[in-house]
Amino acid sequence: MTVPGTISGSSEVTSSPRERKIIVANTLPLQSKRDSETGKWSFSWDEDSLQLQLKDGFPPDTEFLYVGSLNAHVEPNEQEAVSQTLLTSFNSVATFLPKDLQEMYYRGFCKHQLWPLFHYMLPMFPDHGDRFDRKLWQAYVSANKIFSDRVMEVINPEDDYVWIQDYHLMVLPTFLRKRFNRIKLGFFLHSPFPSSEIYRTLPVRDEILRGLLNCDLIGFHTFDYARHFLSCCSRMLGLNYQSKRGHIGLDYFGRTVFIKILPVGVHMGRLESVLNLPSAAAKIKEIQEEFKGKKLVLGIDDMDIFKGISLKLLAMESLFETYWHLRGKVVLVQIVNPARTSGKDVEEAKRETYVTAKRINERYGSLDYKPIVLIDRLVPRYEKSAYYAAADCCLVNAVRDGMNLVPYKYIVCRQGGSLVNDSSPRTSTLVVSEFIGCSPSLSGAIRVNPWDVDDVAQAVNSALKMSEAEKQLRHEKHYHYISTHDVGYWAKSFMQDLERACKDHYSKRCWGIGFGLGFRVLSLSPSFRKLSVEHIVPVYRKAQRRAIFLDYDGTLVPESSITQDPSAEVLSVLKALCEDDKNTVFIVSGRGPESLSEWLSPCENLGIAAEHGYFIRWNSKKEWETCYASTGTEWKAMVEPVMRSYMEATDGSSIEFKESALVWHHQDADPDFGSCQAKELLDHLESVLANEPVVVKKGQHIVEVKPQGVSKGLAAEKVIREMVERGEPPEMVICIGDDRSDEDMFEGMLSTVTNPELLIQPEVFACTVGRKPSKAKYFLDDVADVLKLLKGLGDSSSSLKTTSHTEVAFESII
């Protein structure tokens, strides 16, 4: 299969490519059936599938392509014919997984490892949860690779948008991004994302995080889930996020990965059409007749350990025990959907449900009254809709659930037109767990802690005795939200944000870096390129005067180095550069003058700008000087107690005392708490120092207070201005650094050399260390690259001297 619009073996495009939406999910939105007599397959759309329903958010002519597995096993000799049928008739591409791989991938890793962990269940004991099995993980990766192969067969990477659904395919983005660096890729997680304390227990945590970060947009149902994901990225990968004009973005190797927070909705038309069926209307009357004179509380849940069915029954038991007047007047109808997984936990939950229901019925029931009605069978959709429409209260008691659309369906069915008294005002009451995804969007619901059975019982009692007017107001509020935030709205909003996230894809250059599941794409400015010795040496040789500015930490000495004093190699390189009379070499650092002058003492001709340029010394024979007017030390007396209070309250933080500044460090503190405290400290200091001649700046793990006008950029500008005043204007400027303070130096350098007052136009080489977004035009990969470049320049100076001495000797002979 070839790229749409392209003939295999030919470069001629037969038609202009058309933008499509490729929806990738574990299963296709299809129902499969095989005729037992003829053996032929028949397929039909699954009208209840989310992948199919999301089409409502787009114009009718929007083209969708579906990639996923079938809900039935197809023999290898039939797969080709089935694939062709699905592609031509349903615009679907099937991924056929071998039986053993399917079992290990889906039931093994997805359902027995990821799903419990994402619902906060740790495998503390082998009897309660499966422990991590690397073979199952490898099956998960293999299955994701097969999905990626199928996507690659049909995608037009420059035009199509790919939208991946749910936790079954969390490393799929890495495979796709590796193949197409600029692919337009979105992901939506339909389950909870656990807190970092839970997620960090997963041995393959980094691989999954990096898989998601290879997307352009990642969607979550609630802010809590997004917050947990962002916290994991911060704690495990050291990534920071920020909100820009209402959009949360993570900077990941030059790419901005956006975060979307929007709960999925229901398909209004589907619910209303089922509710208006004659069978549904008849069933509503039947239910109302059966429970006449009684209050009907409804629960509809899958049989699994997280839906809280047994806790719900205990709450009803507490209700009958505490509010004795409700005995004989309230019935809980609990519809139990078939379990999606099997195992010891599900069997235990089922057994406990039946034992508890039996006990309540025996204690509070009678011959003509059962307070608990369990419906444990496959219930048709029309019958569920009828129960929704007839129920006085809906009780959703899950202990953890990604979204749970039962409350939404209940509200829509209560609004529907098949109720017996069609002209009466619509009312509804909801009691929902605070641990489910839909809870934040249902502001009129009574929220409960499902573990507190007495609290749930009290909430049900409050719901049942609520006035009709209040029920109506709450219902109207819920219905307005649900009807305006349906599945079509959700899909359209996600795709709009995905298009916005991808709009700059072709304005930057991309490099793929990393191996295996650690692969990621570096995205940088088109003019950004690596600075090579071969490129810079010709300019260096030609220039008669040169200014060289070098950062210290992270540029000449690795940040991770235990000892911060320079190596013999660093000193040798610096001495070689300083011995060239054409060079003015400066170390521009945030460190203090004492340590820098001690470490760099062998380089006598080396200039030093310490504390970001507050102190400047042109060589070891000159005195330290500062061109900044004294601001006094009064502001330090104001800053120190404030910083000290934050240091004492933030374990792992510290204060650095400089001559020109005070710095609060939090790199060793808890990442989230340290970042939160840094923001508070910044606000606190800005208010305290509002009338002082100082500035408060937040940097990488620091909050710094220093006099106004102190920066590496101004220090470099001072050096260049003095060179011009001496009649030695530089013809070449080299500036190398690695962090945020060096960005000031790059920016200041460019503005200085273009200043018409100075009448100079030197060749500028601003270079950052590490491939990352920068104001610099060039980059070097690491400290070793920096030293290699500087050594090349030093060797070039030596060769120039040798050539010059030879020429002088030759002239003297002549």
Coordinates of all heavy atoms in Angstrom, one line a residue, residues 513-542:
I513 N 17.4 12.0 17.8 CA 18.5 11.6 18.7 C 18.0 10.5 19.6 O 16.8 10.4 19.9 CB 19.0 12.8 19.5 CG1 17.9 13.5 20.3 CG2 19.7 13.8 18.6 CD1 18.4 14.6 21.1
G514 N 18.9 9.7 20.1 CA 18.6 8.6 21.0 C 18.3 7.3 20.3 O 18.0 7.3 19.1
F515 N 18.3 6.2 21.1 CA 18.1 4.9 20.6 C 16.9 4.2 21.2 O 16.5 4.6 22.3 CB 19.4 4.0 20.8 CG 20.6 4.5 20.2 CD1 21.5 5.3 20.9 CD2 20.9 4.3 18.8 CE1 22.7 5.8 20.3 CE2 22.0 4.8 18.2 CZ 22.9 5.5 18.9
G516 N 16.3 3.3 20.5 CA 15.2 2.5 21.0 C 14.1 3.4 21.4 O 13.7 4.4 20.8
L517 N 13.5 3.1 22.6 CA 12.4 3.8 23.2 C 12.8 5.2 23.8 O 12.0 5.9 24.3 CB 11.6 3.0 24.2 CG 10.9 1.7 23.6 CD1 10.3 0.9 24.7 CD2 9.9 2.1 22.5
G518 N 14.1 5.4 23.8 CA 14.6 6.7 24.3 C 14.7 7.7 23.1 O 15.2 8.9 23.3
F519 N 14.2 7.4 21.9 CA 14.3 8.3 20.8 C 13.5 9.5 21.0 O 12.4 9.5 21.6 CB 13.8 7.5 19.5 CG 13.8 8.4 18.3 CD1 14.9 8.6 17.5 CD2 12.6 9.1 18.0 CE1 14.8 9.5 16.4 CE2 12.5 9.9 16.9 CZ 13.7 10.1 16.1
R520 N 14.0 10.7 20.6 CA 13.2 11.9 20.6 C 13.7 12.8 19.5 O 14.8 12.6 18.9 CB 13.3 12.6 21.9 CG 14.6 13.1 22.4 CD 15.3 12.1 23.2 NE 16.5 12.5 23.9 CZ 17.5 11.7 24.3 NH1 17.3 10.4 24.2 NH2 18.5 12.2 24.9
V521 N 12.9 13.8 19.2 CA 13.3 14.7 18.1 C 13.7 16.1 18.6 O 13.0 16.6 19.5 CB 12.1 14.9 17.1 CG1 12.3 16.1 16.2 CG2 11.9 13.6 16.3
L522 N 14.8 16.5 18.2 CA 15.3 17.9 18.5 C 14.8 18.8 17.5 O 15.1 18.6 16.3 CB 16.8 17.9 18.6 CG 17.5 19.2 18.9 CD1 17.2 19.6 20.3 CD2 19.0 19.1 18.8
S523 N 14.1 19.9 17.9 CA 13.5 20.8 16.9 C 14.1 22.2 17.2 O 13.9 22.7 18.3 CB 12.0 20.8 17.0 OG 11.4 21.7 16.1
L524 N 14.8 22.8 16.2 CA 15.5 24.0 16.4 C 15.3 25.0 15.2 O 14.8 24.6 14.2 CB 16.9 23.8 16.7 CG 17.3 22.9 17.9 CD1 18.7 22.5 17.9 CD2 16.9 23.7 19.2
S525 N 15.7 26.2 15.4 CA 15.6 27.2 14.4 C 16.4 26.8 13.1 O 17.4 26.1 13.2 CB 16.2 28.5 14.9 OG 16.4 29.4 13.8
P526 N 15.9 27.1 11.9 CA 16.5 26.7 10.7 C 18.0 27.2 10.6 O 18.8 26.6 10.0 CB 15.7 27.4 9.6 CG 14.4 27.6 10.3 CD 14.6 27.9 11.7
S527 N 18.3 28.4 11.2 CA 19.6 28.9 11.1 C 20.6 28.3 12.2 O 21.8 28.6 12.2 CB 19.6 30.4 11.3 OG 19.1 30.8 12.5
F528 N 20.1 27.5 13.0 CA 20.8 26.9 14.1 C 21.7 25.8 13.6 O 21.2 24.8 13.0 CB 19.9 26.5 15.2 CG 20.5 26.3 16.6 CD1 21.1 27.3 17.2 CD2 20.4 25.0 17.2 CE1 21.6 27.1 18.5 CE2 20.9 24.8 18.4 CZ 21.5 25.9 19.1
R529 N 23.0 25.8 13.8 CA 23.8 24.7 13.3 C 25.1 24.6 14.2 O 25.4 25.4 15.0 CB 24.3 25.0 11.9 CG 25.0 26.3 11.7 CD 25.5 26.5 10.3 NE 26.1 27.8 10.0 CZ 26.9 28.0 9.0 NH1 27.2 27.0 8.2 NH2 27.4 29.2 8.8
K530 N 25.7 23.4 14.1 CA 26.9 23.1 14.9 C 28.1 23.9 14.5 O 28.3 24.1 13.3 CB 27.1 21.6 14.9 CG 28.2 21.2 15.9 CD 28.3 19.7 16.0 CE 29.3 19.3 17.1 NZ 29.3 17.8 17.3
L531 N 28.8 24.4 15.4 CA 30.0 25.2 15.1 C 31.2 24.3 15.0 O 31.6 23.6 16.0 CB 30.2 26.3 16.2 CG 31.4 27.2 16.0 CD1 31.2 28.0 14.7 CD2 31.5 28.2 17.2
S532 N 31.8 24.3 13.8 CA 32.9 23.4 13.6 C 34.2 24.2 13.6 O 34.2 25.4 13.3 CB 32.8 22.6 12.3 OG 32.8 23.5 11.2
V533 N 35.3 23.5 13.9 CA 36.7 24.1 13.9 C 37.0 24.6 12.4 O 37.5 25.7 12.2 CB 37.7 23.1 14.3 CG1 39.1 23.7 14.2 CG2 37.5 22.7 15.8
E534 N 36.6 23.8 11.5 CA 36.9 24.1 10.1 C 36.2 25.4 9.6 O 36.7 26.1 8.8 CB 36.5 22.9 9.1 CG 37.2 21.7 9.3 CD 36.8 20.9 10.6 OE1 35.7 21.2 11.1 OE2 37.6 20.0 11.0
H535 N 35.0 25.6 10.2 CA 34.2 26.8 9.8 C 34.7 28.0 10.4 O 34.7 29.1 9.8 CB 32.7 26.6 10.3 CG 31.8 27.7 10.0 ND1 31.5 28.2 8.7 CD2 31.2 28.6 10.8 CE1 30.8 29.2 8.8 NE2 30.5 29.5 10.1
I536 N 35.2 28.0 11.7 CA 35.6 29.2 12.4 C 37.1 29.6 12.2 O 37.4 30.8 12.2 CB 35.3 29.0 13.9 CG1 35.3 30.4 14.6 CG2 36.2 28.0 14.6 CD1 34.8 30.3 16.1
V537 N 37.9 28.6 12.0 CA 39.4 28.9 11.9 C 39.7 29.9 10.8 O 40.5 30.8 11.0 CB 40.2 27.6 11.8 CG1 41.6 27.9 11.3 CG2 40.3 26.9 13.1
P538 N 39.2 29.8 9.6 CA 39.5 30.8 8.5 C 39.2 32.2 8.9 O 40.0 33.1 8.7 CB 38.7 30.3 7.3 CG 38.4 28.9 7.5 CD 38.3 28.7 9.0
V539 N 38.1 32.4 9.6 CA 37.7 33.8 10.1 C 38.7 34.2 11.2 O 39.1 35.3 11.3 CB 36.3 33.8 10.6 CG1 35.9 35.2 11.0 CG2 35.3 33.3 9.5
Y540 N 39.0 33.2 12.1 CA 39.9 33.5 13.2 C 41.3 33.9 12.7 O 41.9 34.8 13.2 CB 40.0 32.2 14.0 CG 40.8 32.3 15.3 CD1 40.3 32.8 16.5 CD2 42.2 31.9 15.2 CE1 41.1 32.9 17.6 CE2 43.0 32.0 16.4 CZ 42.4 32.4 17.6 OH 43.2 32.5 18.7
R541 N 41.8 33.2 11.7 CA 43.1 33.5 11.1 C 43.1 34.9 10.5 O 44.1 35.7 10.6 CB 43.5 32.5 10.1 CG 44.0 31.2 10.6 CD 44.2 30.2 9.5 NE 44.8 29.0 9.9 CZ 46.1 28.7 10.0 NH1 46.9 29.7 9.6 NH2 46.6 27.6 10.4
K542 N 42.0 35.3 9.9 CA 42.0 36.6 9.2 C 41.9 37.8 10.1 O 42.4 38.9 9.8 CB 40.8 36.5 8.2 CG 40.7 37.7 7.3 CD 39.5 37.6 6.4 CE 39.3 38.8 5.5 NZ 38.1 38.7 4.6

